[in-house]
Amino acid sequence: MTDATDIPGRKPDGAWAHLLHVLRENPVTMLSFGLFAFFLLQAFFGALIVPHDPLATNAANALQPPDWTHWFGTDSLGRDVFSRVVVATRLDLMISVLAVAISFAVGSVLGAVAGYWGGWIDAALNRVLDTIMAFPLFVLAMGIVAALGNSIENIIYATALINIPFYARLVRAEVNIRREAGFALAARLSGNSHFRTLAFHIFPNALPPMMVQVSLNMGWAILNAAGLSFIGLGVRPPTPEWGIMVAEGANYIISGHWWVALFPGLWLMLAVFTFNLMGDGLRDLVDPRRRT
Amino acid sequence: MLSVTNLSVSFRTRRGEVNAVRGISFDLGRGETLGIVGESGSGKSVTSYALLRILDAGGTIRAGDVTYGGVDLRAASERDMRDIRGREISMIFQNPRAALNPIRKVGHQIEDVLRQHGRATRQDARAKAIKALADVRINDPAARYDAYPFELSGGMCQRIVIAIALACDPKLLIADEPTTGLDITTQKTVMDLSRDLIRARGMSSILITHDLGLAAEYCDRLAVMKDGEIVETGIAAAVFAAPQHPYTARLVDATPRPGLGLRDLLPAKARTPLPGHAPGERTLVQVRDLVKTYPGKSGPVHAVKGISFTIREGQSVGLVGESGCGKSTTSSILVRLLDRTSGDILFEGVDIADIPAERFVRDKRRSQIQMVFQDATDSLNPRHSARQTIADPILRMSDLRGARLTARIEELATLCGLPLPLLDRFPHQLSGGQKARVGIARAIALDPKFLILDEPTAALDVSIQAVVLNLLADLRARLGMTYLFVSHDLNVVRLLCDHVIVMQGGEIVEQGPTAQVMDTPSHPYTRNLLAAAPRPPVLAAPMTDQPAAQ
């Protein structure tokens, strides 16, 4: 209390310095951000750097174990597993990022409105969310994709919908406890409308716990998208996608061709792992109390 | 009986080792009451935790000896300490509600302690618990035995905590800010009760408090702590009347009490003449038959029952009462955050009570009526820097932008005594006093005519309270604002206000010029309030005539 606050002229760190501080402070955060950068690289440049065409079939070279030309081996049609795993990153990340973005936005608006105004809006929203959550979420997603049609957009919508309740409830709780906080009343006295008070004063304070939720959700969303593809919904072959690849490879595990399913499964696991680890780091990044 | 020598406690933190207590020594005799006084961060609570070895994680006793009745408390095993805690030494904490288990009956909580220390059996525990409740003068103890903490008032809860602490007849009671957050009359009841019990049982006690006046009234000896060190010890009356250490002198000066002016609270060096203050004749705010009724589960709750008063331009009016008297409801209605049930509020002759609080945000008088909140920490957005906080009302309600906005913010900061480099800090990087200054700067950003101050110094240390009160007096003189000062502390109100309104149970029981209400109170409730204020043993005008004597 006495040491830091009494040094005049010490400015708070900039965004980059703060990022570096957060990374340096926690090796787990450093590892997760490193892995995230690794996946981002694959998503952006994967198609340009892979050694083989991920769609090119070669029946003569089918089901070859890993070697120096095909690092992860080849699948039943002779396609290079490594190239397909790397190229699939973009699609899988895109599905999960978009799905999480939609559920973040929709869930925030619904939750903030319910938490701030309360009353019948709150009661109605809660019942709707309870209804969504009463379904087994994966089955619900399957139903949505089956009903709306088998396309990538619909996978995104289905994944977004089943995640909305988590965001809405979190934001509702965070907004609700701050509705009567001194700074919210002070914002009203300063001439802010209810909308401005909610959007610019109260809601930003819900961001740190939201970031943890975002990061966990990214992992779930990837699993969900891969799961839907695994059972044959959404992404269609021959498009490279981790879920489909695991599904295709599963047929060959019994015959000893382990690499076809293992590597896409490993990437899937690593991606989920990365996002789960990133949560705390993201929270520290958006929490001003960490900027000391 | 208790002897502490050269005690040092340190905490491991992200910034490295922090020495919270640096080599303090004191002795406590049988039947003696020692007051440890200091401001926040002085290490007074840590000292008491160290005695009982209940420091938070990361805290360790670095050096020193603690001997209690011949037992070395530092060397005692955890098992022995468990025996000592509660049976030999017990402690009562600041927030009685937090100290009680919310989902257990209070009677059971007393039984727990009795049985833990083998003072009661299953058969006689109930009778002993009821007797313990009777000892702390709880009416109808047999019925209260079955009460849950939420059903009891704050003062009652603190008495239960005292009952638990005294259940096993300890020889030493440590009270850590036992009455902070309680009303002034409740504070007096609780303090009188614990003093009587301690005397009757021949116990020793340590009272830890930030309130020098309270400590001086209830303790035999005082130890004044600052930055982890004891700077002065002595007989309570002597410490208060003739402080030896400059820090003690500053604390004594800053403690509001009858007979002192605002500037007397400041250190002698900083005493500039107080600017003149003459309220005008025009009426600024007139409240007529204001009523606020809330719907409640068991019938409507009448928070404010038809009160009327007038505030003249430039006047400073104190609104005084204990929690639940309706003073906060009244101030929320006046600042137009809350709608009244019936009644008129004339602001400059125009009724503003009819404009719903919802729509008053866009009213042109919004900038004229502002408020400084009670808790400076809670009232600042944790994500906004001081600059953003002060800029908010200017951006919303005026068209100052760019360089002129920056200049205005810096002018306000200077006016409120906030160093300019601190403007880019976030609230958690500011001290309590600095946060209070940011809150005041925000409230006066648009030159309001009417400023409502809702216990602006209740959460501050006395020395910072002294500075903030003087700042408010200076601002009043420079900007010609009218104040409504809401407070439970009559000594503070006396310093700042020309006119006092005393509220009880939603009604005004007495109002009039400050001197009249304070010196010749007509209503018994006002007399009660005045009598409950701590009365430190001190001469009528102690430090003012010979400020540089020491």
Side-chain angles (χ1 to χ4, degrees):
Chain A
M1 198 160 183
T2 40
D3 49 0
T5 48
D6 292 336
I7 310 161
R10 229 195 81 190
K11 287 213 163 190
D13 296 342
W16 277 111
H18 182 53
L19 174 68
L20 280 179
H21 168 75
V22 168
L23 290 182
R24 217 178 307 128
E25 194 184 1
N26 189 344
V28 175
T29 304
M30 176 85 98
L31 173 73
S32 66
F33 276 67
L35 280 169
F36 183 58
F38 171 66
F39 278 109
L40 277 186
L41 272 180
Q42 294 177 52
F44 283 113
F45 305 110
L48 305 174
I49 55 173
V50 289
H52 302 274
D53 180 352
L55 297 177
T57 56
N58 179 0
N61 202 18
L63 290 174
Q64 291 300 309
D67 59 28
W68 286 113
T69 25
H70 300 285
W71 293 347
F72 291 177
T74 60
D75 66 4
S76 57
L77 298 174
R79 296 173 297 198
D80 179 41
V81 175
F82 175 73
S83 305
R84 286 176 64 76
V85 164
V86 170
V87 169
T89 310
R90 183 184 297 183
L91 182 61
D92 276 286
L93 279 193
M94 191 188 77
I95 293 174
S96 55
V97 167
L98 284 178
V100 167
I102 292 174
S103 34
F104 182 93
V106 177
S108 297
V109 172
L110 293 179
V113 167
Y116 191 75
W117 277 284
W120 67 267
I121 306 178
D122 190 22
L125 180 85
N126 272 316
R127 295 299 80 76
V128 172
L129 297 182
D130 286 345
T131 313
I132 295 179
M133 293 188 76
F135 286 97
L137 294 182
F138 190 74
V139 176
L140 180 64
M142 274 167 58
I144 294 167
V145 177
L148 292 179
N150 205 351
S151 69
I152 292 178
E153 292 101 273
N154 289 338
I155 287 207
I156 294 174
Y157 296 143
T159 311
L161 184 76
I162 63 174
N163 282 324
I164 285 174
F166 298 100
Y167 290 96
R169 288 197 164 169
L170 185 66
V171 174
R172 181 190 166 280
E174 294 288 329
V175 167
N176 198 277
I177 53 171
R178 294 185 172 84
R179 183 170 62 168
E180 298 289 322
F183 71 83
L185 296 180
R188 297 278 298 150
L189 288 188
S190 301
N192 290 278
S193 60
H194 277 301
F195 172 76
R196 282 198 72 96
T197 307
L198 177 58
F200 298 107
H201 288 267
I202 299 179
F203 178 70
N205 282 289
L207 281 177
M210 295 283 281
M211 283 302 129
V212 177
Q213 187 69 32
V214 163
S215 145
L216 289 176
N217 255 156
M218 289 287 289
W220 294 347
I222 288 186
L223 271 184
N224 195 67
L228 287 174
S229 310
F230 182 86
I231 59 169
L233 289 171
V235 185
R236 271 173 258 200
T239 318
E241 197 281 337
W242 295 331
I244 300 180
M245 292 168 68
V246 173
E248 288 171 352
N251 300 328
Y252 299 95
I253 288 181
I254 310 167
S255 53
H257 306 104
W258 48 269
W259 57 89
V260 189
L262 178 86
F263 289 106
L266 186 70
W267 247 233
L268 184 57
M269 194 203 83
L270 262 185
V272 176
F273 180 67
T274 304
F275 287 122
N276 287 350
L277 286 188
M278 271 175 72
D280 289 349
L282 277 177
R283 182 200 55 207
D284 293 352
L285 213 53
V286 296
D287 190 345
R289 262 161 292 197
R290 296 288 179 144
R291 295 196 180 202
T292 309
Chain B
M1 180 159 118
L2 177 76
S3 164
V4 175
T5 18
N6 210 14
L7 179 73
S8 294
V9 180
S10 67
F11 284 88
R12 273 192 313 277
T13 69
R14 261 173 58 183
R15 295 170 187 289
E17 196 99 329
V18 173
N19 294 315
V21 176
R22 309 165 194 232
I24 63 164
S25 308
F26 61 86
D27 291 301
L28 182 68
R30 199 166 292 277
E32 192 185 27
T33 300
L34 173 73
I36 301 184
V37 184
E39 299 192 294
S40 46
S42 62
K44 56 191 193 301
S45 291
V46 172
T47 304
S48 63
Y49 297 159
L51 297 185
L52 284 177
R53 297 233 316 261
I54 49 171
L55 288 169
D56 291 341
T60 41
I61 301 177
R62 277 268 163 263
D65 291 309
V66 182
T67 329
Y68 168 80
V71 181
D72 184 355
L73 292 188
R74 255 192 93 186
S77 68
E78 184 53 36
R79 194 196 174 90
D80 292 339
M81 283 310 291
R82 270 208 295 276
D83 241 19
I84 288 172
R85 292 180 203 131
R87 198 158 72 187
E88 292 290 331
I89 309 177
S90 66
M91 187 155 178
I92 55 183
F93 294 93
Q94 178 169 354
N95 184 347
R97 260 179 226 289
L100 292 173
N101 186 337
I103 58 160
R104 298 204 67 205
K105 294 177 178 172
V106 294
H108 290 172
Q109 301 192 37
I110 298 175
E111 281 184 17
D112 287 345
V113 188
L114 287 168
R115 293 185 55 190
Q116 169 77 31
H117 291 287
R119 290 301 178 97
T121 58
R122 191 189 298 246
Q123 285 74 32
D124 64 358
R126 186 182 168 93
K128 285 193 174 168
I130 290 173
K131 177 169 180 309
L133 287 174
D135 284 349
V136 290
R137 294 182 208 149
I138 284 181
N139 292 329
D140 198 0
R144 293 293 181 215
Y145 176 93
D146 289 317
Y148 289 96
F150 73 88
E151 296 171 318
L152 303 173
S153 67
M156 289 271 255
C157 283
Q158 192 58 291
R159 280 194 244 177
I160 306 279
V161 172
I162 293 174
I164 292 175
L166 299 185
C168 294
D169 289 319
K171 309 284 187 305
L172 169 62
L173 177 72
I174 302 177
D176 185 4
E177 304 265 9
T179 56
T180 307
L182 298 182
D183 279 326
I184 196 153
T185 50
T186 319
Q187 161 169 300
K188 186 168 169 57
T189 327
V190 168
M191 288 307 299
D192 286 350
L193 170 73
S194 53
R195 180 180 57 191
D196 296 348
L197 288 172
I198 286 166
R199 276 190 192 157
R201 295 168 184 226
M203 295 166 57
S204 312
S205 71
I206 298 179
L207 171 68
I208 294 166
T209 179
H210 66 279
D211 187 339
L212 193 56
L214 186 76
E217 187 179 355
Y218 287 96
C219 300
D220 307 319
R221 278 196 308 136
L222 294 185
V224 181
M225 280 191 79
K226 177 181 191 275
D227 297 335
E229 285 166 5
I230 292 182
V231 296
E232 181 165 356
T233 50
I235 304 296
V239 169
F240 206 89
Q244 301 300 311
H245 192 275
Y247 176 73
T248 318
R250 231 171 68 211
L251 270 188
V252 171
D253 284 350
T255 305
R257 56 194 186 277
L260 288 192
L262 258 183
R263 286 295 196 249
D264 297 330
L265 300 182
L266 297 175
K269 288 196 297 289
R271 285 178 200 160
T272 51
L274 193 66
H277 171 57
E281 288 305 315
R282 275 184 52 214
T283 298
L284 183 71
V285 180
Q286 190 177 7
V287 175
R288 283 198 301 233
D289 297 320
L290 190 70
V291 174
K292 178 68 188 177
T293 309
Y294 293 102
K297 274 196 183 127
S298 46
V301 178
H302 303 282
V304 178
K305 304 172 185 168
I307 59 169
S308 305
F309 57 87
T310 304
I311 301 175
R312 281 179 292 138
E313 217 159 63
Q315 206 176 20
S316 292
V317 176
L319 184 58
V320 181
E322 299 193 288
S323 48
C325 73
K327 62 186 195 298
S328 298
T329 307
T330 306
S331 63
S332 294
I333 294 173
L334 284 184
V335 82
R336 304 303 298 120
L337 277 173
L338 192 69
D339 286 321
R340 50 75 170 119
T341 307
S342 68
D344 301 324
I345 303 165
L346 302 183
F347 181 74
E348 298 187 304
V350 186
D351 190 7
I352 55 168
D354 273 337
I355 308 166
E358 291 289 303
R359 270 194 283 132
F360 198 74
V361 171
R362 285 188 293 278
D363 195 284
K364 61 181 187 304
R365 281 159 298 195
R366 173 71 287 166
S367 62
Q368 298 297 308
I369 307 174
Q370 287 291 320
M371 180 155 171
V372 177
F373 289 84
Q374 173 167 8
D375 183 345
T377 308
D378 179 58
S379 70
L380 299 183
N381 191 332
R383 297 187 70 87
H384 287 184
S385 65
R387 186 185 296 279
Q388 285 171 295
T389 298
I390 301 172
D392 196 39
I394 308 176
L395 288 171
R396 297 280 80 75
M397 295 192 285
S398 79
D399 42 19
L400 278 189
R401 295 292 182 273
R404 285 171 58 219
L405 174 67
T406 313
R408 175 65 182 153
I409 293 170
E410 292 180 354
E411 183 192 343
L412 285 164
T414 312
L415 207 54
C416 295
L418 186 74
L420 296 185
L422 298 186
L423 276 174
D424 292 305
R425 296 259 183 105
F426 289 99
H428 71 279
Q429 295 164 318
L430 299 172
S431 70
Q434 291 162 348
K435 280 186 272 203
R437 288 173 199 271
V438 175
I440 294 170
R442 169 176 62 191
I444 63 167
L446 292 165
D447 286 327
K449 286 191 179 130
F450 184 37
L451 191 62
I452 295 171
L453 302 147
D454 183 8
E455 310 224 19
T457 60
L460 300 176
D461 280 328
V462 278
S463 59
I464 299 166
Q465 164 173 290
V467 176
V468 170
L469 289 176
N470 277 287
L471 168 68
L472 288 170
D474 292 340
L475 288 174
R476 172 175 71 186
R478 281 187 69 166
L479 307 173
M481 282 183 291
T482 306
Y483 286 168
L484 179 69
F485 192 92
V486 182
S487 180
H488 67 278
D489 190 340
L490 285 163
N491 280 332
V492 170
V493 168
R494 183 200 297 267
L495 291 168
L496 201 64
C497 301
D498 332 299
H499 190 89
V500 180
I501 300 171
V502 183
M503 277 185 85
Q504 185 195 18
E507 286 165 344
I508 294 179
V509 295
E510 179 164 6
Q511 61 172 313
T514 306
Q516 182 194 321
V517 173
M518 295 278 178
D519 300 333
T520 54
S522 62
H523 195 275
Y525 179 70
T526 316
R527 285 200 285 272
N528 261 344
L529 277 185
L530 284 164
R535 215 163 276 278
V538 71
L539 304 164
M543 308 308 294
T544 37
D545 297 331
Q546 61 272 12
Q550 251 62 28

